[in-house]
Amino acid sequence: MLGFLKDRITVDFAYYKNDIDGLILAVPQAPSRGIPGNSILGNVGSMENKGFELTINGTVLNKKDFTWTSNFNITTQKNKVTALAPGNADILVATSGLETPSIIRVSESIGSFYVIKTEGVNPANGRRIAVLSDGTRVQYSHPDSWTKVSDGFPSRAPSQATDAVIIGPALPKWFGGFCNTWRFKGFDLNMLIYFSGGNYVYNGTKAGLRDNRNWNNSTETMNRWQKPGDITNIPRIVFGDNISNGSGLVISENVEKGDFVKFRNISIGYTLPAKVTDRMNISSIRFYVAAMNAFTITNYSGFDPEISSNGNSTGSPSVDRNSVPMARTINVGINVGF
């Protein structure tokens, strides 16, 4: 730790490298052994996390009636899977029994997204364009028809097993906070800003809201393809089509950057002077108004880039599939000290 200006400013810097081994994974077994599921759980997986942490604390101003203290911290993180079960076979992780957007693969960040690459919508006919592993551009026509964009000849359907690409990481590359407290006589204002980024989020909610089945759609479908020449990322509407927008096929269209800045807490308070509370035989009385998750700044099109449908699941982070966003809460109260 370093101190400056008689420790009015302190700086703390640390580097970390955390090797995690003994992760529990299913180890494949020969069918002849008669083991249910042909696997046994074993401590065979490992991964690595490394990065640095920086914290800066400071007293910006310290006057008789006014003080300003500040704290800033940032942590970087780089995750890499180093070993899985014998043979290091990929592990695909599903979301709530729906699609399977996450992959665990050696040498990749855990839970990165494994998706079919797409290139928008063909302006000539309104069909979703996907890219096969050999670079062939194909387009979908419901139900269950794939043709080449170049000549219209029939093509095989894209498959995660043969055509998917990895987009990642799903874990943030950096995150931290910036906290400031201002005090003027009996008034105080505190603001905590949290930030995170460098990662991607799989927006499965968007896939569902654009889906052309018997439920409500997002207003985004108003921008769908309607006539030759239309430039849009939403295909023409065909009832029952759950492929073109990603519900039945995990596509890159629904993978978005997850960077955000969130005003986590904002509070304003007033503490009665001691000469008033002394008469009441009370140590202190403070009135306050506080807002949690006041607002978020992000380019993510979903409700909240910080949520995950899979909760605290390590293998499939940053998946948004019909998730409930963090609530904005406003509290008004009185703190009384005796």
Side-chain angles (χ1 to χ4, degrees):
M1 178 181 290
L2 298 176
F4 303 93
L5 302 177
K6 297 182 179 179
D7 286 341
R8 281 185 58 184
I9 299 175
T10 61
V11 179
D12 190 10
F13 179 85
Y15 171 81
Y16 70 92
K17 182 177 180 182
N18 186 13
D19 292 316
I20 305 170
D21 58 13
L23 298 176
I24 300 175
L25 297 173
V27 180
Q29 305 294 311
S32 60
R33 299 187 65 181
I35 298 173
N38 297 322
S39 66
I40 296 176
L41 294 179
N43 299 90
V44 294
S46 62
M47 65 180 178
E48 172 189 277
N49 291 304
K50 62 182 179 180
F52 69 83
E53 299 176 347
L54 173 66
T55 300
I56 302 175
N57 294 295
T59 301
V60 182
L61 288 173
N62 189 9
K63 302 295 184 179
K64 178 182 178 182
D65 293 325
F66 180 73
T67 61
W68 174 11
T69 58
S70 186
N71 170 276
F72 173 82
N73 67 83
I74 184 171
T75 299
T76 68
Q77 105 178 316
K78 183 177 181 181
N79 172 270
K80 183 173 70 172
V81 177
T82 53
L84 295 173
N88 287 326
D90 295 340
I91 299 174
L92 296 176
V93 186
T95 300
S96 304
L98 298 172
E99 66 266 78
T100 306
S102 307
I103 188 172
I104 304 175
R105 173 179 288 180
V106 170
S107 297
E108 299 288 346
S109 178
I110 192 168
S112 293
F113 302 116
Y114 198 50
V115 298
I116 303 299
K117 183 181 178 182
T118 55
E119 293 186 351
V121 173
N122 190 336
N125 54 30
R127 297 178 182 177
R128 171 73 67 195
I129 297 174
V131 182
L132 303 182
S133 57
D134 62 1
T136 301
R137 300 166 75 241
V138 297
Q139 55 193 357
Y140 179 71
S141 180
H142 193 73
D144 200 28
S145 174
W146 290 91
T147 57
K148 296 179 181 178
V149 175
S150 59
D151 53 25
F153 287 174
S155 170
R156 67 175 177 84
S159 165
Q160 254 188 313
T162 57
D163 303 301
V165 298
I166 291 180
I167 299 179
L171 294 174
K173 287 185 176 179
W174 41 265
F175 54 89
F178 184 38
C179 182
N180 287 276
T181 301
W182 297 270
R183 299 183 185 278
F184 176 69
K185 294 185 177 181
F187 294 93
D188 62 87
L189 169 63
N190 177 268
M191 185 178 298
L192 171 61
I193 301 172
Y194 179 75
F195 56 87
S196 174
N199 66 305
Y200 292 86
V201 176
Y202 174 73
N203 192 347
T205 302
K206 179 169 68 176
L209 290 175
R210 292 179 175 181
D211 208 341
N212 296 317
R213 288 183 280 177
N214 56 341
W215 50 61
N216 291 333
N217 281 167
S218 164
T219 55
E220 288 182 298
T221 55
M222 300 291 288
N223 299 321
R224 68 193 184 279
W225 183 94
Q226 299 182 66
K227 64 182 184 302
D230 283 350
I231 305 297
T232 178
N233 64 333
I234 301 178
R236 61 180 185 172
I237 288 182
V238 180
F239 182 74
D241 181 1
N242 71 329
I243 299 295
S244 295
N245 288 303
S247 282
L249 183 69
V250 183
I251 59 177
S252 61
E253 168 70 19
N254 297 326
V255 179
E256 304 182 33
K257 289 289 290 181
D259 301 1
F260 69 87
V261 175
K262 180 170 290 190
F263 285 72
R264 181 79 77 195
N265 184 69
I266 301 174
S267 65
I268 301 175
Y270 176 71
T271 302
L272 290 178
K275 62 182 181 181
V276 175
T277 55
D278 287 346
R279 295 172 186 171
M280 305 166 63
N281 293 321
I282 293 175
S283 174
S284 64
I285 298 179
R286 177 177 176 267
F287 303 89
Y288 70 91
V289 177
M292 297 185 64
N293 298 312
F295 58 91
T296 303
I297 301 172
T298 181
N299 288 325
Y300 178 64
S301 67
F303 290 119
D304 189 342
E306 193 179 7
I307 56 178
S308 176
S309 299
N310 299 321
N312 295 322
S313 171
T314 304
S316 52
S318 301
V319 174
D320 178 3
R321 184 59 156 162
N322 304 326
S323 304
V324 178
M326 289 188 177
R328 179 187 296 119
T329 305
I330 298 177
N331 296 318
V332 178
I334 304 174
N335 291 328
V336 180
F338 294 94

